[in-house]
Short mmCIF file of all heavy atoms in Angstrom, two decimals:
data_model
loop_
_atom_site.label_atom_id
_atom_site.label_comp_id
_atom_site.label_asym_id
_atom_site.label_seq_id
_atom_site.Cartn_x
_atom_site.Cartn_y
_atom_site.Cartn_z
N ARG Y 1 0.82 -1.21 0.00
CA ARG Y 1 0.00 0.00 0.00
C ARG Y 1 0.86 1.26 0.00
O ARG Y 1 0.52 2.25 -0.65
CB ARG Y 1 -0.96 -0.01 1.20
CG ARG Y 1 -2.14 -0.96 1.02
CD ARG Y 1 -3.16 -0.80 2.13
NE ARG Y 1 -3.72 0.56 2.23
CZ ARG Y 1 -4.65 1.03 1.40
NH1 ARG Y 1 -5.12 0.29 0.42
NH2 ARG Y 1 -5.13 2.25 1.57
N PHE Y 2 1.98 1.22 0.73
CA PHE Y 2 2.82 2.42 0.74
C PHE Y 2 3.47 2.64 -0.62
O PHE Y 2 3.63 3.78 -1.05
CB PHE Y 2 3.89 2.33 1.83
CG PHE Y 2 4.73 3.59 1.89
CD1 PHE Y 2 4.18 4.77 2.38
CD2 PHE Y 2 6.03 3.61 1.42
CE1 PHE Y 2 4.92 5.94 2.41
CE2 PHE Y 2 6.78 4.77 1.45
CZ PHE Y 2 6.22 5.94 1.95
N CYS Y 3 3.87 1.57 -1.31
CA CYS Y 3 4.43 1.73 -2.66
C CYS Y 3 3.42 2.39 -3.59
O CYS Y 3 3.75 3.27 -4.39
CB CYS Y 3 4.84 0.37 -3.23
SG CYS Y 3 6.39 -0.28 -2.57
N ALA Y 4 2.15 1.95 -3.48
CA ALA Y 4 1.09 2.55 -4.29
C ALA Y 4 0.90 4.03 -3.94
O ALA Y 4 0.76 4.89 -4.82
CB ALA Y 4 -0.21 1.79 -4.09
N LEU Y 5 0.90 4.32 -2.64
CA LEU Y 5 0.78 5.70 -2.19
C LEU Y 5 1.96 6.53 -2.68
O LEU Y 5 1.79 7.66 -3.17
CB LEU Y 5 0.72 5.74 -0.66
CG LEU Y 5 0.74 7.13 -0.02
CD1 LEU Y 5 -0.59 7.83 -0.24
CD2 LEU Y 5 1.05 7.04 1.47
N ALA Y 6 3.16 5.98 -2.58
CA ALA Y 6 4.37 6.70 -3.00
C ALA Y 6 4.32 7.03 -4.48
O ALA Y 6 4.73 8.12 -4.91
CB ALA Y 6 5.61 5.85 -2.69
N ARG Y 7 3.82 6.09 -5.28
CA ARG Y 7 3.72 6.34 -6.73
C ARG Y 7 2.77 7.50 -7.01
O ARG Y 7 3.06 8.38 -7.83
CB ARG Y 7 3.26 5.06 -7.43
CG ARG Y 7 2.97 5.22 -8.91
CD ARG Y 7 2.84 3.87 -9.58
NE ARG Y 7 4.15 3.34 -9.89
CZ ARG Y 7 4.38 2.07 -10.26
NH1 ARG Y 7 3.37 1.21 -10.29
NH2 ARG Y 7 5.59 1.67 -10.56
N GLU Y 8 1.63 7.52 -6.33
CA GLU Y 8 0.66 8.60 -6.55
C GLU Y 8 1.20 9.93 -6.04
O GLU Y 8 1.05 10.97 -6.71
CB GLU Y 8 -0.66 8.26 -5.85
CG GLU Y 8 -1.72 9.35 -5.93
CD GLU Y 8 -2.12 9.66 -7.37
OE1 GLU Y 8 -1.99 8.78 -8.25
OE2 GLU Y 8 -2.57 10.80 -7.61
N VAL Y 9 1.85 9.93 -4.88
CA VAL Y 9 2.38 11.17 -4.31
C VAL Y 9 3.48 11.75 -5.20
O VAL Y 9 3.52 12.97 -5.45
CB VAL Y 9 2.92 10.92 -2.89
CG1 VAL Y 9 3.76 12.10 -2.42
CG2 VAL Y 9 1.77 10.68 -1.92
N SER Y 10 4.39 10.92 -5.69
CA SER Y 10 5.49 11.42 -6.53
C SER Y 10 4.95 12.01 -7.82
O SER Y 10 5.44 13.03 -8.31
CB SER Y 10 6.50 10.32 -6.81
OG SER Y 10 5.92 9.26 -7.56
N ALA Y 11 3.92 11.36 -8.38
CA ALA Y 11 3.33 11.88 -9.62
C ALA Y 11 2.63 13.21 -9.37
O ALA Y 11 2.72 14.15 -10.18
CB ALA Y 11 2.34 10.87 -10.19
N ARG Y 12 1.94 13.32 -8.23
CA ARG Y 12 1.16 14.52 -7.94
C ARG Y 12 2.05 15.67 -7.48
O ARG Y 12 1.82 16.83 -7.85
CB ARG Y 12 0.11 14.19 -6.88
CG ARG Y 12 -1.02 15.18 -6.81
CD ARG Y 12 -2.08 14.75 -5.81
NE ARG Y 12 -2.78 13.52 -6.18
CZ ARG Y 12 -3.86 13.07 -5.56
NH1 ARG Y 12 -4.37 13.76 -4.54
NH2 ARG Y 12 -4.43 11.93 -5.94
N ALA Y 13 3.06 15.38 -6.66
CA ALA Y 13 3.89 16.45 -6.08
C ALA Y 13 5.02 16.90 -7.00
O ALA Y 13 5.38 18.08 -7.02
CB ALA Y 13 4.48 15.98 -4.75
N LEU Y 14 5.58 15.96 -7.77
CA LEU Y 14 6.76 16.27 -8.59
C LEU Y 14 6.55 16.03 -10.08
O LEU Y 14 7.47 16.26 -10.87
CB LEU Y 14 7.96 15.44 -8.11
CG LEU Y 14 8.38 15.59 -6.65
CD1 LEU Y 14 9.50 14.60 -6.35
CD2 LEU Y 14 8.83 17.01 -6.36
N ASP Y 15 5.39 15.52 -10.45
CA ASP Y 15 5.13 15.12 -11.84
C ASP Y 15 6.14 14.06 -12.28
O ASP Y 15 6.59 14.04 -13.42
CB ASP Y 15 5.20 16.34 -12.77
CG ASP Y 15 4.55 16.05 -14.12
OD1 ASP Y 15 3.68 15.15 -14.18
OD2 ASP Y 15 4.93 16.70 -15.11
N GLU Y 16 6.50 13.18 -11.34
CA GLU Y 16 7.42 12.07 -11.63
C GLU Y 16 6.79 10.79 -11.08
O GLU Y 16 6.85 10.53 -9.88
CB GLU Y 16 8.79 12.29 -10.98
CG GLU Y 16 9.57 13.45 -11.54
CD GLU Y 16 10.95 13.57 -10.90
OE1 GLU Y 16 11.43 12.57 -10.32
OE2 GLU Y 16 11.54 14.66 -10.97
N ARG Y 17 6.21 10.00 -11.94
CA ARG Y 17 5.59 8.76 -11.50
C ARG Y 17 6.68 7.72 -11.27
O ARG Y 17 7.41 7.36 -12.19
CB ARG Y 17 4.60 8.26 -12.56
CG ARG Y 17 3.78 7.04 -12.13
CD ARG Y 17 2.77 6.70 -13.23
NE ARG Y 17 1.88 5.62 -12.80
CZ ARG Y 17 2.17 4.33 -12.93
NH1 ARG Y 17 3.33 3.96 -13.47
NH2 ARG Y 17 1.31 3.41 -12.53
N ALA Y 18 6.81 7.26 -10.04
CA ALA Y 18 7.90 6.35 -9.69
C ALA Y 18 7.83 5.07 -10.51
O ALA Y 18 6.77 4.45 -10.64
CB ALA Y 18 7.84 6.02 -8.19
N TYR Y 19 8.98 4.68 -11.07
CA TYR Y 19 9.07 3.43 -11.83
C TYR Y 19 9.00 2.23 -10.87
O TYR Y 19 9.21 2.35 -9.66
CB TYR Y 19 10.40 3.34 -12.58
CG TYR Y 19 10.69 4.47 -13.53
CD1 TYR Y 19 11.93 5.10 -13.51
CD2 TYR Y 19 9.74 4.89 -14.45
CE1 TYR Y 19 12.22 6.13 -14.40
CE2 TYR Y 19 10.01 5.93 -15.34
CZ TYR Y 19 11.26 6.54 -15.30
OH TYR Y 19 11.54 7.55 -16.17
N ASP Y 20 8.75 1.05 -11.45
CA ASP Y 20 8.80 -0.17 -10.64
C ASP Y 20 10.18 -0.35 -10.00
O ASP Y 20 10.29 -0.80 -8.86
CB ASP Y 20 8.48 -1.40 -11.51
CG ASP Y 20 7.00 -1.48 -11.87
OD1 ASP Y 20 6.21 -0.75 -11.25
OD2 ASP Y 20 6.66 -2.28 -12.76
N THR Y 21 11.23 0.01 -10.76
CA THR Y 21 12.59 -0.14 -10.22
C THR Y 21 12.80 0.76 -9.01
O THR Y 21 13.45 0.37 -8.04
CB THR Y 21 13.64 0.18 -11.30
OG1 THR Y 21 13.33 1.46 -11.89
CG2 THR Y 21 13.64 -0.88 -12.38
N GLN Y 22 12.22 1.96 -9.05
CA GLN Y 22 12.35 2.87 -7.91
C GLN Y 22 11.58 2.34 -6.71
O GLN Y 22 12.03 2.45 -5.57
CB GLN Y 22 11.87 4.26 -8.29
CG GLN Y 22 12.80 4.97 -9.28
CD GLN Y 22 12.25 6.30 -9.72
OE1 GLN Y 22 11.15 6.37 -10.26
NE2 GLN Y 22 13.00 7.37 -9.50
N LEU Y 23 10.41 1.76 -6.96
CA LEU Y 23 9.63 1.20 -5.85
C LEU Y 23 10.34 0.00 -5.24
O LEU Y 23 10.27 -0.22 -4.02
CB LEU Y 23 8.24 0.81 -6.34
CG LEU Y 23 7.33 1.97 -6.79
CD1 LEU Y 23 5.96 1.44 -7.18
CD2 LEU Y 23 7.21 3.04 -5.71
N LYS Y 24 11.04 -0.79 -6.06
CA LYS Y 24 11.81 -1.89 -5.49
C LYS Y 24 12.93 -1.35 -4.59
O LYS Y 24 13.20 -1.88 -3.52
CB LYS Y 24 12.40 -2.78 -6.58
CG LYS Y 24 13.14 -3.99 -6.01
CD LYS Y 24 13.59 -4.97 -7.07
CE LYS Y 24 14.26 -6.18 -6.43
NZ LYS Y 24 14.69 -7.19 -7.43
N GLY Y 25 13.57 -0.28 -5.04
CA GLY Y 25 14.59 0.36 -4.20
C GLY Y 25 13.99 0.88 -2.91
O GLY Y 25 14.60 0.79 -1.84
#
């Protein structure tokens, strides 16, 4: 759930949708 939240937050706050590789990191 946090990975999903992080993806949405990064896209909304920075216009950078976190890649799968970034979420694995």
Side-chain angles (χ1 to χ4, degrees):
R1 285 188 59 77
F2 183 71
C3 283
L5 174 72
R7 174 167 278 167
E8 177 61 26
V9 167
S10 63
R12 198 176 295 190
L14 302 175
D15 197 24
E16 294 183 19
R17 186 176 186 274
Y19 303 133
D20 287 347
T21 51
Q22 290 175 303
L23 294 183
K24 183 173 183 179

